[in-house]
Amino acid sequence: MQRILIPLFFVLALYSKAQIQSQLYVDGKVFDELQISDSMKLVEHVNKLQVAWVKNGFFFSGVDSVKQVPNAVSVFLHKGEKWKAELKNFKGSQLTSYLTRQLKSYVNGGYPFASIKLDSGILENSILKSSLVIDPGPSINYDSAYFFTVLKTNESYVYQLLDIEPGNPFSERDYRTIEQKIERSSFLTIQRPTDLSFKNNKAKTYLDIKEHASSTFQGVIGLQQIQNGKTTAVGALELDVQNLFRSGKQFKFAWERFAEESQSLNIFYKHPFFLNSKLSPSFSFGILKQDTTFLTRRTSVGLNTYVAPKIELSFEFETTNGTLISSDVSVIANTGLADFKRKTYNVQLSKGHFSSLGKLKNDIIWRFSSSGGTKKIQENISLPDSYYDSIRLETNFYRFEADIAYQIKILKRQSFFHHIRAGTLQSEELLSNELYRLGGLNSLRGFNEKQFFGKSYVLSRVEFRSFFENRSYAYVFYDHLFFSRELRTDQPYGVGLGFALATSTGQFSFALAVGNSADQNISFSAMKAHFGYISRF
């Protein structure tokens, strides 16, 4: 029995440093020199080298010895003679793919030092006939991590977030993606590359993690004209707790008054890694009141899980109820309003946090979702039966949405920011109190809050930002909306300028905007002013 790949047990005592000078010797001669940041990179490099040799017929190559001094390690290998071989069940390139696949399987399943052997080898006419077996080597589990800074956040949450829970089998794939997975959190960042060491069949990870104040309380005040030409104040309050009880739980409360008698309320809660599983359940509730016309209530429960280091998959069941407040036929006639009840199943893929785009850096985030379900229009006893003569009472309902935002540094302190949102609603009987609501500070600046109703829309928000600090900048913007509602389409746009000023505890913002649409010409008398303050804690 001969060993093809000898396990690199030397890394069991090799502690990672910032950079380690490594030299590879093959048959007594210097073969390669490289800088490594942790032992697993050296193991991976040697394994790839040996797989390439086996592919070319050097079946008895292996590691002879390892010498280690502070900040340097030398690995001595032998290449051996080249042989012709007949390996059971493998021909040509199948051998390479098999070796690579098997090594990845073991190294990601708790056996980072697995080796491949030739078993029952027979030499006939200078041809080696044998079969392959796997020697898994020692089983390695994650040990508790070493944190360079004491964290206030619960360490068990950090382990689950990064997939390095103590006692679980070591996975090179999970270790390699730690710096990507930390971006799942909006309040944790890694200050320097992670390190790794092996000892006593345990893998210890060294993490330099910094916590940030990411929970926010913000208020926004705006001024807008109402139908009688008077000016009224609108505004919003939002509380977003990102690390509730220091365990990664999220709670969000948002209230908005967007017209004189219209307001909305939204509540959201997310519980990460429920019962130590990979699933994070969530709950949300929303209510919207449109003057004295209608009321819409929405409730949803969901399950969320990560399918890639930065990508989250969400499933959600949502119920929506629309209720008419007014029963005056003369008021709601020809408006397309009605009482309804809707049930939908939603699926969503998302990456990143929108708050990350407030800094001077290149970044991209996105969200794609689709929904499908049924809707039933409920007859209001206060309305005559004739009101429902031309309305289908039971229909299917579909919704598709996309949300992409990115920022690109174009000069030393300047950046280009672009946010694109799009959505469409599909139903044979689409009601006015189901439509998208657009307009205002968080969508189309230069117009009243939730001024536009649409069944399909594409919104583009462009900003040129000039930073004078990491979170402080002045900007000019251009917003453009394409939307449709029944036979009407419009392309309103808004332009303006503003600034965001970071303080020791938050951020103050101010924006001035004017808009143009089919019903509104650009006029400084119709200028919208928005004031806001975000407190971070």
Side-chain angles (χ1 to χ4, degrees):
M1 181 184 294
Q2 295 289 335
R3 184 185 303 271
I4 293 182
L5 302 182
I6 299 179
L8 302 183
F9 288 106
F10 65 90
V11 294
L12 292 173
L14 177 61
Y15 283 82
S16 297
K17 307 296 180 182
Q19 286 291 326
I20 299 175
Q21 178 68 35
S22 303
Q23 284 187 324
L24 300 183
Y25 292 84
V26 177
D27 297 329
K29 297 180 180 180
V30 176
F31 179 80
D32 196 6
E33 295 184 2
L34 64 155
Q35 295 278 343
I36 62 169
S37 58
D38 63 62
S39 54
M40 282 308 301
K41 289 186 177 179
L42 182 57
V43 173
E44 182 181 2
H45 182 77
V46 173
N47 280 345
K48 287 182 178 179
L49 181 61
Q50 291 182 314
V51 168
W53 286 346
V54 169
K55 176 184 177 182
N56 292 317
F58 297 93
F59 296 102
F60 299 101
S61 60
V63 178
D64 294 327
S65 62
V66 176
K67 292 184 180 180
Q68 182 186 352
V69 297
N71 297 327
V73 60
S74 298
V75 183
F76 296 86
L77 304 98
H78 64 272
K79 193 172 182 180
E81 296 182 13
K82 187 173 183 179
W83 291 81
K84 293 182 179 180
E86 293 180 3
L87 300 177
K88 295 180 181 180
N89 303 323
F90 297 101
K91 294 181 180 179
S93 62
Q94 291 181 349
L95 176 61
T96 303
S97 61
Y98 173 82
L99 292 175
T100 303
R101 186 169 60 251
Q102 290 296 314
L103 286 174
K104 285 184 178 179
S105 175
Y106 276 90
V107 80
N108 292 322
Y111 298 91
F113 309 111
S115 62
I116 303 173
K117 300 177 181 178
L118 284 175
D119 188 30
S120 304
I122 300 175
L123 187 62
E124 293 183 0
N125 300 323
S126 299
I127 297 177
L128 182 64
K129 297 183 179 181
S130 184
S131 60
L132 292 171
V133 295
I134 304 296
D135 179 7
S139 173
I140 306 294
N141 292 332
Y142 279 110
D143 195 3
S144 58
Y146 178 83
F147 296 93
F148 288 96
T149 303
V150 177
L151 298 179
K152 296 179 180 179
T153 301
N154 193 316
E155 289 183 5
S156 64
Y157 167 75
V158 178
Y159 290 139
Q160 291 174 307
L161 183 76
L162 304 180
D163 293 324
I164 55 171
E165 297 172 73
N168 283 0
F170 172 80
S171 169
E172 183 189 12
R173 179 179 56 244
D174 289 340
Y175 171 72
R176 293 283 180 228
T177 55
I178 284 177
E179 293 181 32
Q180 299 178 53
K181 290 175 182 176
I182 200 71
E183 296 184 26
R184 296 172 175 178
S185 169
S186 62
F187 52 88
L188 299 175
T189 56
I190 289 183
Q191 297 295 99
R192 54 181 167 175
T194 58
D195 286 340
L196 179 70
S197 70
F198 296 92
K199 190 175 183 180
N200 299 328
N201 288 20
K202 297 286 186 180
K204 195 173 191 67
T205 308
Y206 297 83
L207 301 172
D208 187 5
I209 292 180
K210 183 178 180 180
E211 296 171 294
H212 299 275
S214 62
S215 296
T216 61
F217 176 77
Q218 60 179 304
V220 177
I221 299 176
L223 301 175
Q224 67 182 37
Q225 290 184 337
I226 53 180
Q227 292 180 349
N228 57 14
K230 296 182 179 180
T231 300
T232 186
V234 295
L237 294 175
E238 181 178 297
L239 172 66
D240 188 358
V241 183
Q242 291 285 332
N243 193 14
L244 186 64
F245 306 128
R246 301 293 183 181
S247 58
K249 299 178 179 67
Q250 183 183 4
F251 173 77
K252 188 174 182 179
F253 172 90
W255 171 84
E256 181 181 11
R257 182 178 187 262
F258 55 90
E260 191 172 21
E261 295 184 88
S262 302
Q263 55 188 319
S264 66
L265 172 69
N266 289 282
I267 297 173
F268 174 81
Y269 174 75
K270 184 178 180 181
H271 190 110
F273 310 117
F274 185 64
L275 296 178
N276 293 321
S277 71
K278 298 297 183 182
L279 299 177
S280 301
S282 61
F283 168 82
S284 65
F285 172 78
I287 186 169
L288 182 146
K289 177 180 178 291
Q290 178 67 41
D291 47 61
T292 59
T293 308
F294 65 84
L295 189 73
T296 302
R297 300 179 303 279
R298 177 190 52 80
T299 305
S300 69
V301 291
L303 284 177
N304 313 273
T305 188
Y306 286 97
V307 295
K310 297 183 182 180
I311 299 176
E312 187 174 26
L313 174 64
S314 304
F315 296 98
E316 186 180 62
F317 173 70
E318 177 185 290
T319 61
T320 306
N321 292 274
T323 305
L324 296 181
I325 300 175
S326 173
S327 59
D328 188 342
V329 178
S330 63
V331 174
I332 64 175
N334 302 319
T335 60
L337 299 172
D339 299 90
F340 72 92
K341 185 173 184 179
R342 189 177 70 211
K343 297 180 180 180
T344 57
Y345 297 89
N346 314 326
V347 60
Q348 175 179 289
L349 280 174
S350 60
K351 171 188 173 293
H353 305 273
F354 280 89
S355 59
S356 67
L357 294 175
K359 302 178 183 179
L360 180 58
K361 66 174 186 176
N362 295 331
D363 203 357
I364 181 170
I365 61 175
W366 49 261
R367 175 181 64 87
F368 300 99
S369 66
S370 63
S371 307
T374 59
K375 179 181 65 181
K376 183 177 181 180
I377 295 177
Q378 300 174 319
E379 297 187 40
N380 192 315
I381 59 174
S382 300
L383 298 176
D385 294 340
S386 59
Y387 185 78
Y388 299 95
D389 288 345
S390 59
I391 299 178
R392 291 192 60 180
L393 298 183
E394 294 188 21
T395 57
N396 294 325
F397 176 86
Y398 303 97
R399 177 176 58 220
F400 304 96
E401 296 178 340
D403 201 344
I404 304 172
Y406 60 91
Q407 181 170 255
I408 302 174
K409 291 175 62 176
I410 54 178
L411 296 172
K412 184 177 181 180
R413 305 294 297 177
Q414 286 71 39
S415 71
F416 174 80
F417 170 82
H418 192 195
H419 185 185
I420 304 173
R421 288 167 49 189
T424 182
L425 305 174
Q426 301 295 328
S427 178
E428 294 182 23
E429 197 66 60
L430 200 58
L431 304 172
S432 295
N433 45 334
E434 293 182 277
L435 301 178
Y436 289 111
R437 311 293 304 279
L438 301 161
L441 178 62
N442 294 318
S443 55
L444 184 63
R445 289 164 287 193
F447 294 90
N448 292 342
E449 295 291 330
K450 295 179 172 54
Q451 175 177 336
F452 300 102
F453 289 62
K455 69 175 183 179
S456 298
Y457 78 95
V458 176
L459 172 64
S460 171
R461 290 161 55 96
V462 175
E463 294 180 6
F464 178 79
R465 298 173 172 179
S466 180
F467 285 79
F468 41 93
E469 289 181 358
N470 190 36
R471 286 185 175 272
S472 299
Y473 55 91
Y475 63 93
V476 294
F477 67 84
Y478 174 76
D479 299 344
H480 203 137
L481 173 66
F482 304 83
F483 81 96
S484 64
R485 179 184 178 186
E486 295 177 351
L487 300 178
R488 178 186 176 185
T489 59
D490 199 358
Q491 297 185 25
Y493 63 87
V495 296
L497 51 83
F499 65 85
L501 179 63
T503 67
S504 59
T505 58
Q507 186 180 61
F508 174 76
S509 61
F510 173 76
L512 285 175
V514 293
N516 181 81
S517 69
D519 302 319
Q520 173 183 314
N521 294 323
I522 289 182
S523 172
F524 288 105
S525 62
M527 180 179 293
K528 303 295 183 293
H530 304 279
F531 307 86
Y533 181 75
I534 300 175
S535 175
R536 300 185 185 276
F537 59 94

